[in-house]
């Protein structure tokens, strides 16, 4: 009996570690998505021949989507739970990033709005999930989670700059969309 209980504890501990790693991975990816518009603006402006004022509208669209996402997370969390809502946010970001790869102006505003909804759902949900996992001492756990976001926010523009130099910006969209789907599927499938 004691061996069975010990392996159950080990299994639960492994599942918790996996869940924590997935939430951190989702925050790294979210950091990339939130900040990618800045370094992409010159490229997108040239691609679509739009003015600075039009390009600036993408930021408005992104953060309007984010505000809607935060509101949606508040409605969805009590009904669907942390993991499903977090996965939904990651899938929304993936959809928006993929649509951005395919969009022309002005439909790109919708793509940016969609990924804004995704990170608006993901950020509060991930923070609340980690808070729930660490009821004692959640401040340090939340600091580490938000550090993961910062890592993505710093590495994203560096990766974009490298891809611009290689003339592979389109690869960014598809790789990022795929990573968001994989991470979302992992989150949805974790216990």
């Amino acid at each position: 009996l004691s061996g069975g209980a010990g392996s159950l504890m080990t299994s639960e501990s492994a599942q918790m570690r996996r869940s924590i790693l997935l939430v951190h991975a989702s925050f790294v990816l979210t950091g990339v998505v939130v900040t990618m518009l800045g370094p992409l603006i010159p490229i997108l402006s040239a691609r679509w021949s739009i003015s600075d004022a039009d390009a600036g509208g993408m930021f408005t669209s992104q953060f309007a989507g984010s505000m809607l996402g935060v509101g949606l997370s508040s409605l969805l969390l009590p009904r669907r739970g942390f993991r499903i809502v977090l996965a939904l946010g990651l899938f929304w970001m993936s959809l928006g990033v993929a649509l951005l790869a395919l969009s022309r102006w002005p439909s790109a505003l919708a793509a940016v709005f969609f990924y804004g909804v995704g990170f608006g759902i993901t950020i509060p949900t991930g923070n609340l999930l980690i808070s729930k996992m660490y009821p004692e001492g959640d401040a340090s756990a939340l600091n580490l989670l938000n550090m993961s976001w910062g890592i993505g926010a710093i590495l994203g523009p560096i990766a974009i700059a490298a891809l611009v130099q290689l003339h592979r910006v389109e690869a960014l969209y598809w790789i990022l969309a795929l990573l968001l789907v994989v991470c979302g599927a992992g989150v949805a499938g974790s216990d």
Side-chain angles (χ1 to χ4, degrees), residues 64-121:
S66 175
M67 288 176 58
L68 176 62
V70 170
L72 285 173
S73 72
S74 297
L75 294 172
L76 293 170
L77 274 170
R79 292 172 178 81
R80 299 291 178 209
F82 292 107
R83 286 169 177 73
I84 297 302
V85 175
L86 184 60
L88 178 67
L90 292 165
F91 294 146
W92 269 97
M93 277 192 284
S94 177
L95 173 66
V97 170
L99 287 174
L100 187 60
L102 301 171
S103 292
R104 299 193 187 286
W105 184 259
S107 63
L109 291 169
V112 172
F113 181 84
F114 285 153
Y115 77 65
V117 170
F119 73 71
I121 291 170

Side-chain angles (χ1 to χ4, degrees), residues 34-46:
V34 170
T35 59
M36 75 179 194
L37 194 54
L40 285 176
I41 285 286
I43 295 158
L44 297 174
S45 294

Side-chain angles (χ1 to χ4, degrees), residues 29-44 59 62 93-94 96-101 111-112 115-116 119 149 152-158 160-161 169 172-174 176-177 180:
L29 294 172
T30 301
V32 173
V33 172
V34 170
T35 59
M36 75 179 194
L37 194 54
L40 285 176
I41 285 286
I43 295 158
L44 297 174
F59 288 104
Q62 176 177 327
M93 277 192 284
S94 177
V97 170
L99 287 174
L100 187 60
V112 172
Y115 77 65
F119 73 71
W149 183 92
I154 291 168
L155 293 180
I158 293 169
I160 291 167
V169 175
L172 165 80
Y173 302 122
W174 298 114
L176 188 53
L180 287 161

